[in-house]
């Protein structure tokens, strides 16, 4: 069976995003498989995986994400999480939740963030984690990211207190960097102890499948991916009559009486998803034709 659409995978711990794609490719016997939003190996949670022609839709998925994270204070590591070597460890039993709350508020909104040294960002064509493993010191570029909301879920006192938070953020945000920078401002040190991605690219953890779930459904013949347009609901939609739909699917621009501008989902007769187009001055320009009409 040729699958076309999206798999909302609950990534297991200690698997890279690439490992997951390779496993799904093997299970589904499908060559064209890709993912949105890389997750660190230690992290778990939502990893959207595109199947078949849906890989061409990855670039149009919404970028916002949400996480549940545990931050351990009093510890600094090389990787800004517990996977790295400890740089410094200092008990901070006297730290109060009130102090943490005051500082945490500084992270909401648009902020400047320096990504972890061990990350997939490229500098001069080389991945930062490759340079870090070689002991090379490079200047990591600062980036602007947006944190929409941070909610404190739990606080556990002790020599190395832990803070559980829910974070909603934009693309490119490193939760490890938030843990590191929170500890730096508090002058205690901080590192990421656990991370679960609860939302990504329009998919939610509650609707996700583990690799084991996927195998079970495949064996039972009950696996059905999300429809290709399920991840594009953040885009407005337009419907074309049959004649215009055929022209559009052949790569031609078509006129459309609409005051909408920007990227849109394109349908024929409201039900058949054709692809993604861009509306400019009442002209619909093909961007990605998913379902050509013969």
């Amino acid at each position: 069976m040729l699958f076309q659409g999206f798999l909302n995978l609950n990534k297991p711990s200690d698997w890279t995003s690439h490992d997951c794609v390779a496993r799904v490719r093997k299970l589904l016997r499908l060559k064209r498989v890709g993912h949105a939003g890389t997750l660190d190996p230690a992290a778990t949670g939502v990893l959207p995986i595109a199947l078949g022609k849906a890989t061409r839709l990855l670039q149009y998925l919404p970028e916002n994400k949400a996480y549940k994270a545990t931050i351990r204070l009093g510890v600094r590591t090389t990787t800004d999480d517990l996977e790295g070597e400890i740089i410094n460890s200092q008990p901070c039993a006297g730290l109060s939740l009130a102090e943490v709350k005051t500082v945490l508020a500084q992270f909401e909104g648009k902020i400047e963030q320096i990504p972890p040294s061990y990350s997939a960002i490229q500098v001069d064509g080389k991945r930062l984690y490759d340079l870090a493993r070689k002991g090379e010191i490079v200047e990591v570029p600062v980036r602007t990211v947006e944190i929409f909301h941070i909610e404190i879920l739990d606080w556990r006192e002790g020599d190395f207190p832990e803070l559980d938070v829910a974070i909603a953020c934009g693309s490119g945000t490193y939760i490890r960097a938030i843990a590191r920078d929170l500890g730096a401002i508090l002058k205690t040190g901080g590192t990421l102890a656990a991370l679960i991605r609860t939302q990504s690219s329009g998919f939610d953890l509650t609707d996700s499948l583990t690799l084991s779930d996927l195998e079970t459904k495949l064996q039972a013949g009950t696996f059905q991916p999300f429809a290709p347009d399920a991840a594009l609901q953040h885009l407005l939609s337009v419907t074309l009559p049959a004649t215009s739909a055929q022209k559009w699917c052949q790569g031609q621009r078509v006129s459309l009486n609409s005051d909408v501008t920007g990227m849109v989902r394109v349908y024929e007769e409201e039900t058949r998803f054709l692809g993604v187009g861009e509306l400019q001055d009442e002209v619909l320009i093909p961007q990605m034709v998913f379902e050509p009409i013969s």
Side-chain angles (χ1 to χ4, degrees), residues 79-124:
T79 58
D80 300 324
D81 62 13
L82 294 182
E83 298 295 295
E85 297 178 8
I86 294 177
I87 299 173
N88 188 40
S89 177
Q90 57 180 64
C92 51
L95 186 66
S96 70
L97 178 57
E99 294 176 86
V100 175
K101 282 182 177 179
T102 301
V103 172
L104 200 61
Q106 300 177 27
F107 289 88
E108 290 192 322
K110 289 186 177 180
I111 63 171
E112 298 294 303
Q113 186 180 78
I114 299 176
S117 297
Y118 283 82
S119 63
I121 292 174
Q122 293 191 19
V123 175
D124 296 329

Side-chain angles (χ1 to χ4, degrees), residues 122-293:
Q122 293 191 19
V123 175
D124 296 329
K126 297 180 179 179
R127 301 285 185 185
L128 284 180
Y129 53 67
D130 289 331
L131 296 172
R133 286 166 186 156
K134 293 177 181 178
E136 297 184 28
I137 299 175
V138 297
E139 185 176 346
V140 182
V142 177
R143 55 168 59 184
T144 300
V145 299
E146 188 167 10
I147 313 296
F148 304 119
H149 182 63
I150 301 180
E151 178 187 359
I152 295 175
L153 302 176
D154 196 15
W155 167 253
R156 293 179 291 281
E157 297 180 344
D159 287 344
F160 300 96
E162 290 189 342
L163 176 73
D164 292 341
V165 291
I167 299 176
C169 58
S171 178
T173 304
Y174 277 91
I175 309 302
R176 283 184 286 150
I178 293 176
R180 176 200 65 207
D181 294 344
L182 175 64
I185 296 173
L186 290 168
K187 294 182 170 55
T188 62
T191 196
L192 185 66
L195 184 67
I196 303 172
R197 188 155 66 190
T198 56
Q199 293 178 354
S200 179
S201 302
F203 294 99
D204 192 275
L205 187 62
T206 56
D207 300 319
S208 65
L209 295 178
T210 64
L211 286 169
S212 179
D213 293 334
L214 177 60
E215 289 189 63
T216 299
K217 286 182 174 291
L218 286 171
Q219 290 169 2
T222 58
F223 171 66
Q224 287 292 333
F226 285 90
D229 59 334
L232 303 175
Q233 298 305 302
H234 61 297
L235 301 179
L236 295 175
S237 66
V238 297
T239 301
L240 299 177
T243 303
S244 296
Q246 187 166 22
K247 290 180 180 179
W248 187 85
C249 286
Q250 292 170 349
Q252 300 179 42
R253 302 183 178 201
V254 297
S255 298
L256 188 67
N257 185 17
S258 173
D259 57 1
V260 175
T261 59
M263 295 295 180
V264 292
R265 289 174 284 134
V266 182
Y267 294 85
E268 179 192 18
E269 298 177 354
E270 297 185 4
T271 57
R272 186 180 181 185
F273 175 62
L274 300 180
V276 177
E278 184 176 9
L279 263 171
Q280 296 181 2
D281 300 323
E282 297 189 340
V283 175
L284 183 61
I285 306 167
Q287 295 296 323
M288 185 273 170
V289 176
F290 183 84
E291 192 67 41
I293 298 175

